[in-house]
């Protein structure tokens, strides 16, 4: 077993530290955030920090770094109040990955990365047509994390679009069937296979460990 | 394709809504949070909301719901200022799942779920001996999310412990090799297999989509 202390981490070169620390949280959800500016310029950003915050109302969060690539996403969300979260599957993983290049504002990542903007039900922000599970959200709160300049964007779910074969009333969405993938670190993409579901944990029905 | 609107979600029975909304963010990291009270009572809680917030300093967040089961974890973190995040692998998935039962404070989930508290390097909070990747953190900030009473706990990484064969300098930790698993919804556990790593995205080296 090896140990990295806080001091060891600080002494690493920047790339090694970024690579290591971005991988220690475990597997991360692979999603694309779709937005559009008031003037109609679309933007698409790969994000691996989406997190469930509540079910009633349905609230999801994601973290924005204080860096260049994601600024268009944040500006568009603040301008319009709406955005989409779209699951990534294997066939669009490479397209999704390259949305993280530093495209100038006038160039839409949709076009440059060969993904299709899709407007559904008059929702203000574009979904990704190729995605199998698509969520439309309204901005609910923006929390600035002063410790390091990141921002937690919280949205309320307005719409969920998906193939109805994905919905398993016992376990929620069947993400294996939808082909949803996950991410580790900054560059690695993974397929996922369920091996177990366990019953709701009750004191009076614990397994004999 | 089916559509759930905000109104449709609100009209679902509670269990179906919980099951659905907990699964829409995609795959979630499977981790155990280890803590101890000032009086020495250990606590262990399965958490699927760990998120990367920054690498320099290394900051990780996780979300606590305003409910009973996790209150001991929060109290212990606030009392001592320290906690651990431990990756879950397949052999301990069932044990980890049942830490979510509503154990009284005097009963440690470590003992009840047959997992072993491990104190390393005089770090104040217990690690999970069976875990393959273990992170020790100090509390850095607690952000109350007023929208729904949840809390974002932010910690700075003090130590990372792992087998040194997991560290791949090109891609961070090899989580497949470590056997780390992921979660969907509230009850489903998944194995993970990498299918691709893509290069850092540069405008001048985009693939021909």
């Amino acid at each position: 077993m090896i140990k990295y202390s806080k001091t060891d981490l600080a002494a690493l070169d920047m790339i090694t530290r970024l690579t290591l620390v971005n991988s220690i949280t475990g597997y991360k959800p692979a999603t694309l955030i779709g937005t559009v500016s008031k003037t109609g310029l679309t933007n698409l950003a790969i994000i691996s920090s989406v997190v469930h915050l509540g079910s009633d109302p349905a609230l999801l969060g994601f973290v924005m770094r204080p860096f260049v690539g994601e600024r268009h996403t944040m500006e568009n969300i603040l301008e319009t109040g709406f955005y989409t979260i779209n699951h990534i599957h294997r066939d669009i993983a490479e397209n999704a990955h390259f949305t993280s290049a530093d495209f100038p504002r006038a160039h839409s990542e949709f076009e440059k990365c060969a993904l299709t903007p899709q407007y559904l039900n008059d929702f203000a922000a574009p979904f990704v047509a190729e995605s199998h599970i698509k969520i439309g959200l309204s901005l609910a709160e923006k929390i600035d994390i002063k410790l390091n300049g990141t921002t937690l964007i919280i949205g309320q779910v307005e719409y969920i679009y998906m193939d109805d074969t994905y919905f398993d009333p016992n376990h929620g969405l069947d993400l294996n069937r939808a082909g949803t993938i996950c991410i580790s670190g900054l560059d690695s993409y993974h397929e996922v296979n369920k091996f177990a579901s366990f019953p709701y944990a009750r004191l009076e029905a614990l397994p004999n460990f």
Side-chain angles (χ1 to χ4, degrees), chain A:
Chain A
M1 200 163 67
I2 56 171
K3 180 186 79 174
Y4 282 91
S5 70
K6 184 165 59 175
T7 315
D8 298 332
L9 289 176
L12 292 173
D13 69 276
M14 188 187 77
I15 299 292
T16 305
R17 184 173 51 241
L18 273 175
T19 306
L20 175 61
V21 179
N22 271 280
S23 68
I24 63 173
T25 55
Y27 294 107
K28 304 184 275 193
T31 66
L32 284 160
I33 309 278
T35 58
V36 64
S37 71
K38 273 191 173 168
T39 58
L41 294 171
T42 58
N43 191 279
L44 193 61
I46 187 166
I47 295 281
S48 61
S49 59
V50 172
V51 67
H52 174 264
L53 289 173
S55 297
D56 188 18
L59 296 173
L60 311 183
F62 74 95
V63 178
M64 302 213 93
R65 294 176 301 162
F67 302 143
V68 174
E70 293 163 354
R71 210 164 46 190
H72 303 156
T73 296
M74 173 105 86
E75 287 169 4
N76 290 348
I77 292 174
L78 296 178
E79 268 184 31
T80 68
F82 295 96
Y83 58 105
T84 68
I85 295 179
N86 307 269
H87 285 214
I88 299 171
H89 54 83
R90 183 166 175 161
D91 293 350
I92 59 170
E94 190 175 17
N95 310 64
H97 177 78
F98 283 94
T99 63
S100 61
D102 189 18
F103 294 99
R105 176 131 200 176
H107 292 193
S108 172
E109 292 81 5
F110 279 102
E111 187 197 338
K112 293 293 176 185
C113 297
L115 294 164
T116 312
Q118 180 182 37
Y119 291 92
L120 293 172
N121 204 50
D122 295 331
F123 192 71
F127 296 88
V128 176
E130 290 81 1
S131 175
H132 297 161
I133 298 175
K134 314 170 198 200
I135 309 165
L137 301 102
S138 57
L139 177 63
E141 191 169 352
K142 170 179 171 286
I143 296 179
D144 294 318
I145 298 174
K146 293 181 189 69
L147 274 174
N148 68 349
T150 53
T151 304
L152 178 67
I153 301 281
I154 301 176
Q156 175 158 6
V157 174
E158 299 285 335
Y159 294 103
I160 304 170
Y161 290 94
M162 61 184 172
D163 188 299
D164 56 4
T165 63
Y166 301 154
F167 185 48
D168 171 351
N170 294 314
H171 309 293
L173 297 185
D174 185 339
L175 301 181
N176 290 179
R177 191 183 184 104
T180 296
I181 60 173
C182 65
I183 295 177
S184 68
L186 294 163
D187 69 349
S188 295
Y189 293 80
H190 306 259
E191 290 187 317
V192 182
N193 286 292
K194 176 167 150 176
F195 64 87
S197 288
F198 299 117
Y200 184 78
R202 297 179 197 283
L203 283 186
E204 56 281 14
L206 293 179
N208 288 316
F209 290 120

